[in-house]
Amino acid sequence: MKRTTSAWSAVPAALAISLTLTACGAANEDSGSGSSASGSASSGTSVSGTIAGAGASTQTVAQQTWKAGFEGANPDATVNYDPIGSGGGREQFLAGATQFGGSDAYLKDEELAKVPASCGEVIEYPVYVSPIAIAYNLKGVDNLKLDATTLAKIMKGEIKTWDDPAIKALNEGVDLPNTAVVPVHRNDESGTTENFTDYLHAVAPDVWTDKPSGTWPVSGGESAKGTQGVVQAITAGEGYIGYADASQTAKLGNAQIKVGESFQGPSAEAAAKIIDESERVPGRGQYDFAIDIKRDVASEGVYPIVLASYTLACTKYADQKTADLVKAYLSYTVSPEGQKAAADAAGSAPISDGATKNATTAINAISAG
Amino acid sequence: MPDADLHALDQPAVRPVPQPTPAAPRPPTDTPLLHRRLPRFATLGMLAASLAVAILLGLTVWSLNPVALLLETAVLYGVAVFVTSSVVEGRRNAVDRLVTVVVTTFFLLALLPLVSVLIEVVGQGYQRFDLTFFTYSMRGVVGAGGGAYAAIVGTLIITALTTAVSVPIGILTAVYLVEYSKGGRLGKVLTFFVDVMTGIPSIVAGLFAVALFVLFLGPGARAGIIGSVALSVLMIPVVVRSTEEMLRLVPNELREASYALGVSRWRTITKVVLRTAVAGIVTGVTLAVARIIGETAPLLVTVGTTTSTNTNPFSGRMATLPVFSYYEYAQPGIPREPYLDRAWAAALTLIIIVMALNLIARLVSRIFAPKTGR
Amino acid sequence: MSTTSAKPRGVHDAPRYGDRIFAGAATGAGVIILLVLAGVAGFLLWQALPALTASPEDVRGGKGLFEYIYPLAFGTILTSVIALVIATPLSVGIALFITHYAPRRIALALGYVVDLLAAVPSIIYGLWGVYVVAPASVPVATWLSNWLGFLPFFGPSPSASGRTTLVVGVVLAIMILPVMTAVNREVFLQTPRLHEEASLALGATRWEMIRQAVLPFGRSAVISGAMLGLGRALGETMAVAIILSTAVGVHWDIIGTANSSTIAADIALQFPESSGLDVNTLIAAGLVLFFITLLVNMAARWVVSRRSEFSGAN
């Protein structure tokens, strides 16, 4: 029996052997700063411990960047971020499973009611702002100009070919081919889709009658999973057009969108400006900086198709150490330094001074107790 | 029957193709006691001719792609061999040759995707397949650099734990089904529900494990062991099914011979039945490991992800290769190349780990399997 | 259990603790599995309940639970059936090649090579499907549309990107090949040597021997292997999610841009950003997948039991 049993467990045993051979620490981690929360905080203002957040996958790279920068300055601290999606992130944050959350949409009213009393007041502010590009693949056309109505018609499948009069009218002098227009949309529920449909619904309500939603509301066209899937589909298909995070569409054509009387491409600066132009959602807490993005903005140099992803946090944490760590980390994420690091690594738009001031006010309210 | 076979072979054909007329030499009829056989050079010649025609077709009529080329060659050669063989060797041999062509074609067809996948993964993955990749974790890394050390350790630990949970349960259950239940009610129920278990979507297994552990550990629990439980739910049915199938194949004569010698039941099972079936069982276990080692969704909700190395599966988040690979691919930063390179290198690593497991399993089964006629 | 106390066929009367313990462990393992499954089923029901009782307008899609799930169930079955139709003959052929055609020394290595296909993570299959298979399928789809367009499966306008149900079926077939082949291979290897030799001695050709000895012996295992493969195809998530260009509703056209999604893929696509009732809806879809697997397996069991006389241990 014994001998035979050892045969059955040979596979895990072999695994265990290879494990003991390798389990001696990664070359870039010194033994003091592992994932375990070492209690002995080093001197000075440095913070220690482990906190975790979960939520929107749009923030993945930004959070990785902040985590790396923050942990570099505070070797005894570990910050984890699980990119499980906004829905899961909000749910876990409300359940007290995570210290902070990331979400592509601000908390709904019924979710606000679920904020536990131990949390104190809920903190909400946009931390990650990124333009959504209208990317297309059309040989010989570099500077496509579109307005909201035409874009809505394209995405609905009402405009069939690229030499449609509506597109021609906006692009005088451009030689548009007779290629079929294939609109590409996300088939996974996403904050990107919600922001994009919100734009179409707000600016072209006559054509785009569907309410903004995270799932694509109209049928027709192609669909693909995630930003990468959409970018891949557009890259592969001549005449394809779709919407995707601007940081990943650099190799495709990016349409300029009519704002007021001028046309604006998806630049980071133009995206950041929309946050200042937008209004705070009324009737929420003093540290709740949720905004309704003003899609029908008419000012020059503002790009209205943006995604604003939020940080969710509490004003109260159970102990001083956690409160200090959350405070320090969130302060870093909204600092000019942190925002610049995210912009370099993830292609996001650094939040404006006004937005930084709001966020800092909220973060400073964090305390233990 | 031969007509049916011909028909089956015609199905994958793209369109009727002109038959080549290979010169089938009539063998001399000087061996009356033996069947007349097609000489080897004739079949080889026909194969070469079929290949040539297929390439020609590929170049002129449609594009030259490996699947079409293989199918065209197979159809041409199959028809040619069948016709000449029925003339020279008779109908039965002709059918035999035709089936050989079909079976070989099927095998080559299965190799094509494998080769294609491997080319893709190796071609994309070798760029970051360096020492740094295996010795660095992602802690403190932004953009280029960094490695999958933490993820490799995490995957090995979680897979080992899962295997340690699933294999004993799976094999014992199979033993119960084959050796003890004898058509009893529990056996029937069990067989049925094990089948059902194969259909649990992986994300559901993950959510179930989370719900289970939240009962004990409170919200926000993340640990390697939770992931192992989720993966075990996926792995156990595969182990049971394949083991059960192998145990059923052990001839009853062996069991009876053992009992006749006065050997007790459990010793008969462990010493005779399980050892006779060990090769098949080990193959099944390896396939089951391969099935779960690449799971992404259940690990993300149960184990989470981190950038540091964590060797304790009972506390805290762990990095794992599939999750690492998926997020490097799905959410790259700019420029995206270093992220995609890491994603492919992680995939390549995963394949190599399973290959190594497979080799070990084969060694094990060779050591323990009784000598057979093969 | 009455079976645990059954005496072995030996002649001993003395109590055998080893036997008792072993039998207990085997039974216990089975009971653990049932408990786990009951746990999963209970969890699914508990989580799906709000969606089952919710009013139709509140459910995702706004037309009620049934309207949401049945196209997904359709897509799940369609892709799995395509995969099974392709993979079953292939896996039998491959297993026969390895066990009865290839030279013995090469056969082991060949088996290993096919097993390797199982080692490839499903994400890689997804990427491979999108970047390699999908573009290659476009001319085939065009041909099918031109010549077989009268069938409902081949619509008039094939997808230009190739991200279709057909491609998903092909990729799924390749994904389930290793499991099915491995089962078939092991069983074909176990064919009693004497049966084979008897057949050959009577003058049968190799194919006749296979038909007379090997295939009848392995028939139930082939079905069993197919069920294992089907289980994987039904539940496959990432590869389908990455490849398929999905659209709401039932679509028979397997080469167009609008394809019915599958349950598992839909859960993977929608789950991360969902909350509240939407999550319950997705879990309810998972429950349906559970039942589909249940029905499929009942059917398979029924087929196997009708043919069980000549296979394996009696």
Side-chain angles (χ1 to χ4, degrees):
Chain A
M1 172 69 179
K2 282 221 169 64
R3 236 176 51 213
T4 327
T5 327
S6 66
W8 305 130
S9 51
V11 176
L15 260 175
I17 291 166
S18 55
L19 197 68
T20 41
L21 284 176
T22 51
C24 44
N28 56 331
E29 294 175 44
D30 64 67
S31 49
S33 64
S35 57
S36 63
S38 59
S40 57
S42 46
S43 60
T45 55
S46 166
V47 289
S48 67
T50 301
I51 53 168
S57 54
T58 37
Q59 293 187 30
T60 311
V61 178
Q63 290 281 358
Q64 278 169 7
T65 313
W66 292 327
K67 168 181 163 63
F70 184 72
E71 288 172 353
N74 303 279
D76 289 326
T78 295
V79 180
N80 289 315
Y81 183 79
D82 293 340
I84 57 171
S86 304
R90 291 201 297 268
E91 212 154 88
Q92 295 210 350
F93 173 74
L94 293 175
T98 52
Q99 281 76 41
F100 67 97
S103 173
D104 288 345
Y106 52 78
L107 290 171
K108 297 170 198 149
D109 288 342
E110 65 261 29
E111 286 172 322
L112 274 178
K114 285 190 205 156
V115 174
S118 60
C119 183
E121 283 186 70
V122 73
I123 294 176
E124 243 184 328
Y125 58 85
V127 70
Y128 177 91
V129 177
S130 179
I132 298 169
I134 308 304
Y136 63 93
N137 178 357
L138 198 59
K139 261 192 217 106
V141 180
D142 296 328
N143 252 325
L144 188 68
K145 293 191 173 80
L146 293 173
D147 62 13
T149 314
T150 315
L151 182 58
K153 281 182 181 161
I154 288 177
M155 295 310 289
K156 263 197 136 168
E158 288 173 9
I159 291 179
K160 306 279 186 202
T161 57
W162 281 102
D163 55 0
D164 190 277
I167 306 179
K168 269 188 170 162
L170 290 163
N171 295 276
E172 276 171 38
V174 180
D175 185 23
L176 289 161
N178 188 26
T179 319
V181 176
V182 181
V184 184
H185 61 264
R186 294 271 293 266
N187 60 3
D188 51 335
E189 185 168 351
S190 67
T192 312
T193 303
E194 178 142 22
N195 279 285
F196 181 57
T197 50
D198 185 34
Y199 166 77
L200 293 177
H201 183 67
V203 188
D206 300 337
V207 181
W208 197 267
T209 46
D210 297 277
K211 282 206 182 71
S213 104
T215 46
W216 190 247
V218 300
S219 58
E222 281 219 10
S223 67
K225 177 184 191 305
T227 302
Q228 290 302 310
V230 170
V231 170
Q232 190 273 334
I234 298 173
T235 311
E238 173 82 12
Y240 279 42
I241 181 166
Y243 57 96
D245 198 290
S247 64
Q248 298 298 325
T249 61
K251 287 182 182 148
L252 295 162
N254 292 321
Q256 304 210 326
I257 301 300
K258 192 171 188 187
V259 180
E261 289 309 308
S262 60
F263 287 90
Q264 178 64 44
S267 76
E269 303 76 52
K273 279 186 193 155
I274 190 85
I275 304 298
D276 288 340
E277 298 260 347
S278 306
E279 305 263 319
R280 256 176 90 170
V281 183
R284 293 164 79 104
Q286 56 173 329
Y287 301 122
D288 193 328
F289 294 99
I291 52 166
D292 281 326
I293 294 172
K294 195 179 173 200
R295 306 288 181 187
D296 53 354
V297 67
S299 329
E300 201 167 317
V302 180
Y303 187 74
I305 317 176
V306 301
L307 172 143
S309 197
Y310 290 85
T311 290
L312 312 177
C314 294
T315 52
K316 296 266 181 250
Y317 286 91
D319 56 287
Q320 193 65 45
K321 216 174 86 180
T322 310
D324 287 347
L325 183 52
V326 173
K327 206 167 168 177
Y329 179 66
L330 296 185
S331 300
Y332 173 70
T333 62
V334 298
S335 69
E337 186 194 344
Q339 285 290 319
K340 184 176 181 314
D344 289 344
S348 60
I351 55 174
S352 65
D353 294 343
T356 311
K357 217 179 108 227
N358 289 342
T360 313
T361 317
I363 294 166
N364 284 337
I366 293 176
S367 66
Chain B
M1 198 61 203
D3 292 337
D5 282 327
L6 252 176
H7 191 68
L9 190 74
D10 269 340
Q11 272 176 352
V14 184
R15 64 172 59 158
V17 283
Q19 273 183 30
T21 49
R26 284 209 160 237
T29 49
D30 56 355
T31 50
L33 281 179
L34 293 172
H35 278 298
R36 291 190 303 175
R37 304 284 296 172
L38 275 178
R40 202 169 172 74
F41 68 82
T43 50
L44 284 178
M46 280 189 273
L47 184 61
S50 315
L51 188 64
V53 173
I55 290 177
L56 213 66
L57 273 176
L59 287 175
T60 52
V61 183
W62 47 74
S63 66
L64 199 62
N65 88 46
V67 178
L69 200 62
L70 177 64
L71 286 179
E72 287 158 26
T73 311
V75 171
L76 290 172
Y77 177 66
V79 170
V81 144
F82 182 76
V83 171
T84 47
S85 174
S86 17
V87 172
V88 178
E89 299 174 326
R91 201 126 183 104
R92 286 173 55 216
N93 281 310
V95 171
D96 188 46
R97 282 187 186 274
L98 189 61
V99 173
T100 309
V101 173
V102 171
V103 164
T104 314
T105 309
F106 279 7
F107 179 75
L108 293 176
L109 261 185
L111 284 189
L112 279 178
L114 179 72
V115 171
S116 171
V117 167
L118 283 184
I119 288 175
E120 189 83 4
V121 175
V122 173
Q124 307 260 18
Y126 82 98
Q127 267 140 335
R128 272 310 312 280
F129 208 68
D130 49 28
L131 193 64
T132 315
F133 189 76
F134 293 100
T135 51
Y136 276 58
S137 68
M138 288 300 288
R139 190 176 167 95
V141 176
V142 175
Y149 175 81
I152 294 169
V153 170
T155 286
L156 289 179
I157 292 175
I158 289 172
T159 309
L161 260 178
T162 310
T163 313
V165 172
S166 309
V167 169
I169 293 183
I171 290 182
L172 280 172
T173 305
V175 165
Y176 175 79
L177 287 176
V178 177
E179 305 292 330
Y180 286 97
S181 125
K182 299 285 177 208
R185 176 168 276 179
L186 178 63
K188 274 189 181 146
V189 170
L190 205 51
T191 313
F192 182 69
F193 281 109
V194 165
D195 289 345
V196 174
M197 223 169 152
T198 60
I200 297 177
S202 55
I203 180 78
V204 168
L207 295 175
F208 164 72
V210 170
L212 188 69
F213 276 82
V214 161
L215 294 180
F216 304 123
L217 302 175
R222 288 281 189 285
I225 183 75
I226 309 179
S228 290
V229 168
L231 294 184
S232 296
V233 171
L234 301 172
M235 183 170 171
I236 287 173
V238 184
V239 176
V240 175
R241 276 312 287 267
S242 55
T243 308
E244 187 192 346
E245 212 52 62
M246 294 310 135
L247 293 184
R248 287 204 191 284
L249 292 175
V250 176
N252 252 357
E253 290 83 351
L254 285 182
R255 297 185 181 86
E256 279 154 11
S258 176
Y259 292 139
L261 290 172
V263 179
S264 68
R265 192 167 189 176
W266 73 278
R267 287 194 149 253
T268 302
I269 292 170
T270 53
K271 292 275 181 186
V272 178
V273 179
L274 287 178
R275 279 195 72 165
T276 310
V278 72
I281 295 175
V282 169
T283 307
V285 169
T286 325
L287 282 169
V289 169
R291 161 87 174 81
I292 54 109
I293 201 169
E295 281 294 345
T296 313
L299 285 182
L300 193 67
V301 292
T302 53
V303 187
T305 169
T306 181
T307 52
S308 316
T309 314
N310 175 11
T311 50
N312 180 2
F314 298 98
S315 161
R317 291 167 161 76
M318 290 171 102
T320 49
L321 273 176
V323 175
F324 175 79
S325 180
Y326 178 67
Y327 277 99
E328 294 293 310
Y329 156 75
Q331 302 288 342
I334 48 171
R336 56 191 237 184
E337 281 68 30
Y339 292 84
L340 296 185
D341 288 347
R342 277 198 295 266
W344 285 104
L348 182 56
T349 312
L350 204 52
I351 293 179
I352 289 174
I353 290 178
V354 181
M355 273 167 66
L357 277 179
N358 216 320
L359 269 182
I360 294 170
R362 266 158 203 275
L363 268 175
V364 168
S365 61
R366 189 169 297 178
I367 292 168
F368 286 98
K371 299 283 166 284
T372 62
R374 291 170 200 272
Chain C
M1 299 302 110
S2 62
T3 44
T4 55
S5 58
K7 275 182 200 153
R9 273 170 262 184
V11 284
H12 297 265
D13 283 326
R16 291 192 157 181
Y17 295 110
D19 267 354
R20 295 242 175 107
I21 293 169
F22 193 76
T27 318
V31 172
I32 287 178
I33 289 185
L34 289 184
L35 286 179
V36 168
L37 202 73
V40 173
F43 166 75
L44 282 175
L45 274 174
W46 169 52
Q47 289 285 305
L49 209 58
L52 298 176
T53 53
S55 70
E57 308 87 69
D58 296 341
V59 174
R60 186 193 282 276
K63 289 179 196 153
L65 199 59
F66 179 75
E67 283 289 323
Y68 182 70
I69 292 177
Y70 94 87
L72 297 175
F74 169 81
T76 308
I77 293 169
L78 185 62
T79 49
S80 302
V81 166
I82 295 174
L84 210 58
V85 165
I86 298 172
T88 307
L90 269 181
S91 72
V92 172
I94 296 163
L96 280 179
F97 181 80
I98 293 173
T99 54
H100 288 84
Y101 284 86
R104 197 175 306 162
R105 212 174 292 158
I106 309 176
L108 265 179
L110 291 180
Y112 179 60
V113 164
V114 176
D115 283 356
L116 267 185
L117 275 171
V120 181
S122 48
I123 293 169
I124 302 297
Y125 275 116
L127 296 180
W128 176 74
V130 165
Y131 287 106
V132 180
V133 186
S137 79
V138 174
V140 179
T142 313
W143 188 89
L144 286 172
S145 173
N146 286 344
W147 294 91
L148 297 172
F150 57 89
L151 294 171
F153 305 110
F154 308 119
S157 52
S159 162
S161 65
R163 293 162 53 250
T164 60
T165 304
L166 180 66
V167 169
V168 168
V170 170
V171 172
L172 283 179
I174 291 161
M175 293 179 75
I176 63 179
L177 258 187
V179 188
M180 295 172 62
T181 306
V183 172
N184 294 348
R185 187 182 71 214
E186 293 301 329
V187 175
F188 292 161
L189 273 177
Q190 301 287 341
T191 312
R193 198 77 173 137
L194 287 176
H195 293 195
E196 295 181 18
E197 281 164 2
S199 175
L200 289 173
L202 290 172
T205 61
R206 183 154 50 180
W207 166 239
E208 286 162 350
M209 179 273 282
I210 288 171
R211 253 181 50 206
Q212 290 161 2
V214 180
L215 290 185
F217 181 79
R219 187 171 285 140
S220 88
V222 170
I223 295 173
S224 193
M227 287 308 115
L228 267 182
L230 187 61
R232 177 151 193 198
L234 288 171
E236 177 50 46
T237 307
M238 275 301 178
V240 182
I242 291 177
I243 297 172
L244 203 58
S245 168
T246 59
V248 176
V250 169
H251 302 277
W252 282 100
D253 180 4
I254 63 170
I255 55 173
T257 51
N259 303 280
S260 299
S261 189
T262 74
I263 291 177
D266 192 64
I267 293 176
L269 287 172
Q270 315 305 343
F271 189 82
E273 298 291 326
S274 297
S275 56
L277 192 62
D278 284 351
V279 172
N280 303 125
T281 310
L282 292 176
I283 302 266
L287 197 63
V288 172
L289 179 56
F290 211 72
F291 280 115
I292 292 177
T293 321
L294 212 122
L295 289 177
V296 165
N297 280 302
M298 277 165 83
R301 284 277 149 201
W302 182 69
V303 172
V304 174
S305 70
R306 280 178 50 207
R307 296 177 171 276
S308 64
E309 293 79 26
F310 188 57
S311 69
N314 29 33

